[in-house]
Amino acid sequence: GGSGLASCTADQTFSATTASTSGTATDNAGNSASASFGPINIDKTKPTISASATVNGAPYTSGAWTNQVVTVKFTCNDTGDSGLSGSCPADQVFSAEGVFTSNAATVSDTAGNTSDPANTFSVKIDKTQPKAAPTLSPAANAANWNNTDVTVTWNWSDTGGSGTDPANCTTSATSTG
């Protein structure tokens, strides 16, 4: 063994998956050997993840108020060769009253590529009914009667967070008899 190498297969660089490769070397004494290696698995493509949100199966618009449960579902895909290294994240279910933001979840493939974060949803849930604190103008007399027109001002309030909609709330009404 000390004659040295006379020739050998040059280094090879692969940029895509290949089944196998082989090389040969010959020493100065005329001895030769061959070797093979493979498979070589290469996946440079990041997987993808996206989120969609629903309320009772209907699409939910990010930032819209609702009084129902909001479900954010993730969809994952890997168009590279390696496949996802785990499962797509579980659904996020929002049922409590309040303002929330869904996760900007990511997913990885078995080659170690990580997706860009999923889109997020601003979830707003208000389960508290509005309340009225009506007042009369003019106030009724001691016998609880009026002898003129009366205006009832409803004084609606909402402590659940979404507020009242002036276009759909009766703010006052006048009774003439």
Side-chain angles (χ1 to χ4, degrees):
S3 67
L5 291 175
S7 67
C8 60
T9 302
D11 291 346
Q12 297 171 315
T13 301
F14 296 90
S15 59
T17 296
T18 186
S20 65
T21 186
S22 61
T24 304
T26 304
D27 66 15
N28 288 320
N31 299 306
S32 67
S34 295
S36 62
F37 183 81
I40 299 170
N41 297 312
I42 299 172
D43 177 356
K44 297 180 181 180
T45 305
K46 294 190 290 187
T48 59
I49 184 171
S50 61
S52 60
T54 59
V55 173
N56 294 326
Y60 171 76
T61 301
S62 183
W65 282 100
T66 183
N67 61 2
Q68 303 293 311
V69 172
V70 175
T71 302
V72 176
K73 179 176 182 53
F74 296 98
T75 303
C76 301
N77 190 21
D78 183 34
T79 58
D81 295 328
S82 66
L84 296 175
S85 66
S87 57
C88 207
D91 294 353
Q92 286 184 279
V93 178
F94 298 91
S95 59
E97 187 170 78
V99 177
F100 311 94
T101 301
S102 66
N103 288 341
T106 60
V107 67
S108 297
D109 63 19
T110 57
N113 299 307
T114 301
S115 69
D116 293 330
N119 52 306
T120 60
F121 283 86
S122 173
V123 176
K124 296 179 176 182
I125 300 174
D126 176 357
K127 294 183 177 183
T128 304
Q129 295 176 342
K131 293 184 173 114
T135 57
L136 300 175
S137 178
N141 65 20
N144 204 27
W145 282 93
N146 289 80
N147 60 9
T148 63
D149 291 349
V150 175
T151 299
V152 176
T153 303
W154 290 102
N155 301 308
W156 289 102
S157 65
D158 179 61
T159 59
S162 65
T164 57
D165 181 1
N168 290 311
C169 290
T170 305
T171 55
S172 65
T174 302
S175 174
T176 57

